[in-house]
Amino acid sequence: MLGEAVVKDSRIPKPYSEEHMGETFSHPQYRVDLRRYSEKEYNKFVRLNTVSDWSHLSWKDVGKPFEVTNYSKERTEWERENDQMMDPHTSWTYFNKSFHEWFIKDVPQEKNQSKKQFMRSLAALNPGQVKQAIGHLVQLQLWNYVHRIQDGIWDPRGKRALFEGLHVDRPRILFLGAAEGYEAMQLGAMYTGAEIVMVDYDEFCKTTRFGEFPEHYPFLGENPKTGQWKVIYKDDLNIEYVVEDIRNLDFGKEFDIVLSVGLLEHFPDEYKTEVADWHRRFLKEGGFAILTTPRNQLRSRLYYHVMADVMNHTYRELMTVEQMGLYMYEAGFDILRHGYIKVHNGLICQPR
């Protein structure tokens, strides 16, 4: 496919342009999607509008989130060796390195190698190796489907639909728990002149997850002169990456948008109000808080079960959008937009 061919040519550092609009390309590690979403397509932000008045909603109505309790082998082994529960900073360090290893895999090549390993184990009549080979192959197949075929982790069409329509001009964007920074780059590409500050307290996220994010990955933005869509690359964006604990940030109320992706669900209830306040603390008057969390659905539970050794180093919940919205409403936010994309709930809200 064209997408695979052009990226392998090192003479083309920015292989995509407006002529590729409406197309999608599969790479060995990920998918590029330059298609616009359509109201007739699944790849969009589905506005549920299930709650007309959040003040009338109660926890009795919505129930509590589903807690993921099957932790990775790395975490359980660490806790056994250290005779204590793994602390949050260590768990995030393990998670970021584990997750990044999957992002950089040449999936088709590794699938072929894994199949060969399975056949060798089978021929050797070694049940332990057979079981291990099957488990790895199942993980590869699931990762391939979720990330390369469905593009459910980055989900560019869904996230563009979630982010569109904000009344901001040259916004300052703060991304809390930024990891590789994907969503802030997509958001920044959509709003011309954006300044992006990414924050994560794991140095690995800045130097490796963000530092090694592919320079040739295209984001869809807007050409302010024509009003048409334009291809934007990482180095076209104004980005500062800060390695710091969110609680220690010394920013004031200076951001038009405060963004978090998969942050709220990592904190038990006694800390969720504090997490919500991190979004309020840095917002200008009239600014927007944007949050996503993984959806509580059968396939999400299956994903976190099969991929436990990759994903489950930290406390994690799966929520409905109503549960997520109620947390933010009770923490002093008005919910402007609520719904879901492929595998995440989405909220846009403002402090009351």
Side-chain angles (χ1 to χ4, degrees), residues 213-232:
F213 185 89
E215 301 285 347
H216 45 257
Y217 183 93
F219 296 93
L220 275 187
E222 185 177 280
N223 185 332
K225 295 181 180 179
T226 65
Q228 301 299 311
W229 286 94
K230 176 183 178 181
V231 173
I232 304 290

Side-chain angles (χ1 to χ4, degrees), residues 208-311:
T208 305
R209 292 194 67 181
F210 171 72
E212 296 181 4
F213 185 89
E215 301 285 347
H216 45 257
Y217 183 93
F219 296 93
L220 275 187
E222 185 177 280
N223 185 332
K225 295 181 180 179
T226 65
Q228 301 299 311
W229 286 94
K230 176 183 178 181
V231 173
I232 304 290
Y233 290 91
K234 174 182 171 181
D235 66 0
D236 296 322
L237 297 166
N238 182 358
I239 300 171
E240 176 186 3
Y241 206 115
V242 177
V243 178
E244 184 58 272
D245 189 313
I246 295 170
R247 294 168 294 184
N248 297 333
L249 294 175
D250 58 4
F251 298 118
K253 293 182 178 294
E254 54 193 273
F255 292 92
D256 302 279
I257 300 169
V258 175
L259 169 68
S260 71
V261 173
L263 182 67
L264 183 67
E265 79 276 9
H266 290 293
F267 295 86
D269 281 3
E270 58 264 33
Y271 298 106
K272 284 194 174 73
T273 299
E274 180 183 354
V275 176
D277 193 57
W278 296 342
H279 297 73
R280 177 191 298 104
R281 175 179 161 192
F282 305 110
L283 272 179
K284 294 179 181 177
E285 185 175 352
F288 300 95
I290 305 177
L291 301 90
T292 76
T293 62
R295 293 170 59 193
N296 185 4
Q297 53 183 341
L298 180 59
R299 58 183 175 177
S300 295
R301 295 190 188 192
L302 175 64
Y303 175 75
Y304 285 106
H305 179 76
V306 174
M307 303 296 288
D309 281 343
V310 182
M311 304 293 299

Side-chain angles (χ1 to χ4, degrees), residues 315-342:
Y315 179 88
R316 183 186 297 277
E317 297 172 344
L318 302 177
M319 301 183 189
T320 66
V321 68
E322 292 83 8
Q323 290 166 343
M324 181 187 178
L326 189 54
Y327 279 122
M328 295 303 292
Y329 179 80
E330 290 188 341
F333 285 80
D334 285 327
I335 312 303
L336 306 182
R337 192 185 302 173
H338 66 283
Y340 62 85
I341 50 181
K342 282 183 179 176

Side-chain angles (χ1 to χ4, degrees), residues 124-238:
L125 300 177
N126 188 319
Q129 290 183 1
V130 169
K131 182 179 179 181
Q132 185 178 11
I134 291 175
H136 187 56
L137 190 55
V138 169
Q139 286 184 326
L140 280 168
Q141 294 283 18
L142 182 57
W143 178 260
N144 182 60
Y145 177 76
V146 170
H147 187 50
R148 290 183 69 247
I149 297 176
Q150 287 293 314
D151 205 358
I153 295 175
W154 284 343
D155 192 8
R157 286 192 282 174
K159 283 169 184 164
R160 287 196 295 268
L162 170 62
F163 297 156
E164 72 172 2
L166 302 178
H167 299 295
V168 290
D169 182 42
R170 304 179 68 85
R172 292 201 75 207
I173 300 166
L174 178 64
F175 192 3
L176 303 177
E180 83 284 347
Y182 179 88
E183 288 77 11
M185 289 187 280
Q186 179 57 76
L187 182 58
M190 294 173 63
Y191 293 94
T192 304
E195 297 178 20
I196 301 169
V197 178
M198 300 182 184
V199 178
D200 204 295
Y201 71 176
D202 187 353
E203 178 74 26
F204 181 83
C205 288
K206 177 181 179 180
T207 59
T208 305
R209 292 194 67 181
F210 171 72
E212 296 181 4
F213 185 89
E215 301 285 347
H216 45 257
Y217 183 93
F219 296 93
L220 275 187
E222 185 177 280
N223 185 332
K225 295 181 180 179
T226 65
Q228 301 299 311
W229 286 94
K230 176 183 178 181
V231 173
I232 304 290
Y233 290 91
K234 174 182 171 181
D235 66 0
D236 296 322
L237 297 166
N238 182 358

